[in-house]
Amino acid sequence: MTRLLLAIETSCDETAAAVLDDSLAVRSSVVASQVDLHAAFGGVVPELASRAHVETITPVVAGALAEAGVSGRDLDAVAVTRGPGLVGALLVGMATAKALALAWGVPLVGVNHLEGHLASVYLADDDVPFPHVALLVSGGHCMLTRATAPGRYALLGETVDDSIGEAYDKVARFLGLGYPGGPVLDRMAGSGEDVLGFPRPMLADGYVFSFSGLKTAVVNQVRADPGSSQADVAASFVASCMDVLCAKLRRALEEFGDPAVAIVGGVAASPVLRARARALADEYGARLLIPPPALATDNAAMIGVAGWHALAAEGPSPPGFGPEPDLRLRFAEDAP
Ligand code: KG4
Ligand code: ZN
């Protein structure tokens, strides 16, 4: 008989709930964004985020159940993000998930948000080949991993300073383009030219990334020449980011010759990155695993996929487990 799982995600500024069956089909996915709430401050204000999650979580869960056409009695498990993220925001999702699991008498499993993003490849494609190279590019992270088997990851490299989404958001804020910066910068880049010669940081350094110096280069350029076209600044910044990401992906495709390459996390919603990744995958004859934009940015469907995997691999989480704001991804010891 088909089993159903409710997944909840509240690690940052999206309140999300989804229902998935045990074949990983998404029966519903509801995301309530707090972007408008935080936009005036140019970034996420943790206390406001927690309060907004408290107000929104009940209607969001009810919406996910209604959209799936199920009620609490039909659910067989609950999954919830336990970290990394804002502690107050995580607490709201976890308290809700614990209460529902207890009331329904079903198992509860805590999920690492990063494993959720990596598991979103199953929402991109029915056929996920292993091993595959997986680039995780979000507001909080920029890391290149290699998935050797379901749920088993080796770290190839990560950023030594800012994540790429953070760099997008900081540059956009500096240019007065609002929050979040990714979508706006991406759009603006389309009408400019890569003429400002920004650096391609750490291009030759294996799989390590750095975006803090690039952000400073943008600031210095705009201060030195306040009249420079914003579209050209955006195009030059985006081109530099894309060149770096694609150079690392190319290196991994060359080194490992894997049959697939995955791009996950909020920045994977970028049409520019999607197009560049598609061209690269085609060049190497690799399958491109990239979730649709709505499942690349934070959502609960990806937490549901990782939740099913975690339940199968390890069973329910121990009672009394709490939020882990600094939770890291667990890597397999047999790193290449
Ligand atoms: O995965 P995500 O929703 O949240 C985290 O786990 O951090 O990623 C959010 C990040 C933000 O920095 C946002 O600017 C970026 O993803 N982003 C984009 C686009 N949409 C969202 N970056 C570039 N192009 C986009 N279209
Ligand atoms: Zn995320």
Side-chain angles (χ1 to χ4, degrees):
M1 210 179 76
T2 309
R3 292 182 305 146
L4 295 173
L5 172 143
L6 171 74
I8 292 176
E9 151 67 39
T10 62
S11 66
C12 190
D13 60 344
E14 261 97 26
T15 316
V19 174
L20 278 81
D21 67 30
D22 51 5
S23 72
L24 304 184
V26 180
R27 300 287 184 93
S28 66
S29 177
V30 175
V31 179
S33 172
Q34 304 175 2
V35 158
D36 295 344
L37 181 66
H38 301 290
F41 302 93
V44 178
V45 183
E47 189 52 37
L48 291 182
S50 313
R51 277 194 236 165
H53 284 309
V54 170
E55 283 165 16
T56 319
I57 188 75
T58 304
V60 164
V61 168
L65 295 180
E67 201 177 295
V70 298
S71 71
R73 278 188 305 280
D74 305 315
L75 271 296
D76 300 281
V78 178
V80 63
T81 305
R82 68 185 163 103
L86 304 168
V87 66
L90 290 165
L91 262 172
V92 178
M94 294 189 75
T96 308
K98 283 181 181 181
L100 291 175
L102 198 65
W104 296 337
V106 298
L108 172 65
V109 64
V111 171
N112 183 325
H113 182 83
L114 305 178
E115 279 184 32
H117 275 303
L118 289 164
S120 69
V121 293
Y122 290 91
L123 304 171
D125 211 312
D126 290 336
D127 178 16
V128 176
F130 289 92
H132 64 254
V133 169
L135 176 68
L136 167 51
V137 274
S138 70
H141 296 84
C142 180
M143 58 170 73
L144 193 61
T145 69
R146 188 161 178 253
T148 49
R152 271 181 91 78
Y153 305 101
L155 178 65
L156 300 179
E158 62 187 325
T159 181
V160 293
D161 42 55
D162 290 354
S163 78
I164 179 157
E166 202 176 337
Y168 266 82
D169 294 340
K170 284 178 177 169
V171 165
R173 187 161 52 188
F174 175 72
L175 295 176
L177 299 176
Y179 172 85
V184 194
L185 269 181
D186 231 38
R187 251 194 322 275
M188 193 174 256
S191 51
E193 298 280 341
D194 173 22
V195 289
L196 296 176
F198 290 145
R200 269 58 177 164
M202 296 201 155
L203 202 61
D205 297 72
Y207 298 113
V208 183
F209 302 87
S210 164
F211 293 101
S212 168
L214 174 60
K215 175 196 65 197
T216 308
V218 174
V219 171
N220 290 344
Q221 160 68 34
V222 173
R223 288 205 174 124
D225 180 10
S228 53
S229 130
Q230 276 208 338
D232 286 349
V233 174
S236 302
F237 168 77
V238 169
S240 175
C241 291
M242 294 303 139
D243 283 356
V244 171
L245 295 182
C246 290
K248 311 280 171 174
L249 282 172
R250 178 182 294 278
R251 182 168 296 141
L253 284 165
E254 292 273 350
E255 181 175 348
F256 302 109
D258 288 343
V261 56
I263 321 277
V264 300
V267 183
S270 154
V272 186
L273 180 54
R274 298 176 85 85
R276 292 277 301 257
R278 166 66 56 204
L280 195 61
D282 288 350
E283 187 184 329
Y284 284 86
R287 186 189 285 262
L288 178 64
L289 308 169
I290 190 162
L295 298 173
T297 49
D298 284 351
N299 66 87
M302 67 184 195
I303 302 302
V305 176
W308 274 127
H309 287 162
L311 264 181
E314 291 153 33
S317 296
F321 76 108
E324 291 175 71
D326 301 319
L327 188 63
R328 305 236 339 137
L329 200 60
R330 207 172 14 154
F331 295 108
E333 317 71 50
D334 58 344

